Amino acid sequence: MEALFMDSTDPSVSFDEADTRDAEMHSAIDEWVDDLIGAVDEARASEQFQAWLDVQQRFHDYSYRNTLLIKRQCPEATKVAGYRTWQEEFDRHVTEGESAIWIWAPIITTRCPDCENAPSYHEQIGCEYDETSPEEWSEGLVGFKPAPVFDVSQTEGEPLPELETEATGDAGELVPRLTDLANEVGVTVRIVSAAEWSHGEADGVCQWPDGRHEKPVVSILDRQQRAAVAGTLIHEYAHALLHTGEVDGPERAKREIEAEAVAYIVGRQCGLDMSGSAFYLAA
């Protein structure tokens, strides 16, 4: 990655002198990190972000078990909701002929304080609790039932607000320069066409094979906007260099901040417009 700083397309910061390059580079990075922090604060306060956040908060947080069920049935799923929820909350409708994704929905009703069953099943099993009448029982979880949900890709209607997070500008030969660095970074790079892409709405992924000595595989969705491809490639390189194993889990947010901060700094040094990073980090 240092080669990109030493051969910048941005004439304002070239770091040409070997004896001052390190100090100049770190000074520029400190300044740009401060710029990014300020841009994230502005992004969070913007109407665009608040509209996006309002919609995101309407989507249910699914349990780990239901998340696995959703991914098993629809690996590319990103935003999932019930049939009526799509209509009433988002002014969208499920496309005719789409197959439901089945999850387990909790059954909440009044339940016996002793056996913790609904009144009907409480009677069937012969529970002898009689300190209070069923009318006085509080509500609680008594079981689960199958429930159908649908991914946004299975619906039509009013578009959901989106954030512009991609890098823009003239990438020149940056994409091939970055792919040439794959061995130096220690990864295998795949630029994948939209027709063959299998990672949903993600623009790039970094995956670690099971083999201990195998390189991580960076897959990037190919797009006409080469700056966006370059920005995503830098982001995934950062995952490969900074992180090990799958990026999902409790540390995911921290890892995404680290990877996108690297993408912002390196992309900016290479002459890209990285203002979309602020919305990515705000999210």
Side-chain angles (χ1 to χ4, degrees):
M1 293 293 233
E2 186 176 354
L4 294 175
F5 279 87
M6 296 171 63
D7 183 21
S8 170
T9 58
D10 180 0
S12 63
V13 187
S14 59
F15 311 126
D16 287 331
E17 297 297 328
D19 56 345
T20 61
R21 181 183 299 130
D22 186 70
E24 290 176 352
M25 184 184 299
H26 282 85
S27 177
I29 289 173
D30 288 343
E31 178 184 343
W32 292 349
V33 167
D34 287 340
D35 290 346
L36 180 58
I37 292 170
V40 172
D41 289 339
E42 291 178 7
R44 285 199 184 112
S46 69
E47 291 184 7
Q48 181 182 357
F49 182 75
Q50 293 304 316
W52 176 86
L53 189 62
D54 176 63
V55 168
Q56 302 309 306
Q57 290 173 338
R58 298 185 211 169
F59 286 99
H60 181 70
D61 243 352
Y62 290 99
S63 66
Y64 181 70
R65 178 174 66 171
N66 278 335
T67 300
L68 290 178
L69 286 172
I70 291 168
K71 289 299 183 182
R72 182 67 179 269
Q73 297 168 77
C74 186
E76 68 278 9
T78 55
K79 298 179 178 67
V80 173
Y83 188 91
R84 290 192 179 278
T85 301
W86 279 118
Q87 293 179 326
E88 297 169 3
E89 292 284 339
F90 305 105
D91 200 14
R92 297 178 67 86
H93 62 272
V94 175
T95 307
E96 186 176 354
E98 290 289 347
S99 298
I101 302 168
W102 290 92
I103 63 172
W104 288 109
I107 302 172
I108 306 295
T109 186
T110 55
R111 65 179 186 178
C112 170
D114 186 24
C115 68
E116 298 186 340
N117 288 308
S120 58
Y121 194 64
H122 157 82
E123 293 178 1
Q124 291 180 28
I125 65 172
C127 178
E128 298 180 354
Y129 176 82
D130 61 0
E131 293 182 19
T132 58
S133 64
E135 290 76 15
E136 297 176 343
W137 295 352
S138 59
E139 291 190 341
L141 176 67
V142 297
F144 295 88
K145 63 181 179 180
V149 293
F150 300 86
D151 181 58
V152 62
S153 62
Q154 299 174 289
T155 67
E156 299 174 338
E158 286 297 312
L160 300 178
E162 298 291 345
L163 298 176
E164 294 297 329
T165 61
E166 292 188 337
T168 58
D170 182 8
E173 296 300 310
L174 185 55
V175 172
R177 285 172 60 198
L178 285 167
T179 54
D180 287 345
L181 289 174
N183 285 333
E184 181 178 333
V185 176
V187 304
T188 298
V189 172
R190 299 171 59 242
I191 308 294
V192 183
S193 68
E196 298 177 340
W197 189 248
S198 60
H199 301 286
E201 290 189 346
D203 294 326
V205 294
C206 182
Q207 297 171 302
W208 282 262
D210 293 333
R212 180 175 299 179
H213 301 294
E214 293 184 67
K215 296 179 180 179
V217 178
V218 166
S219 301
I220 305 296
L221 174 62
D222 199 12
R223 284 152 285 169
Q224 188 173 3
Q225 173 56 270
R226 306 315 286 168
V229 174
T232 305
L233 192 49
I234 297 168
H235 178 104
E236 300 306 331
Y237 274 2
H239 276 311
L241 288 166
L242 298 175
H243 311 134
T244 57
E246 295 296 329
V247 296
D248 290 331
E251 293 284 306
R252 183 178 186 278
K254 176 184 175 183
R255 295 180 183 187
E256 288 303 318
I257 289 172
E258 291 173 345
E260 190 60 23
V262 170
Y264 175 85
I265 297 297
V266 178
R268 181 168 170 175
Q269 168 60 23
C270 294
L272 302 181
D273 180 350
M274 300 300 297
S275 55
S277 293
F279 278 118
Y280 186 94
L281 294 178

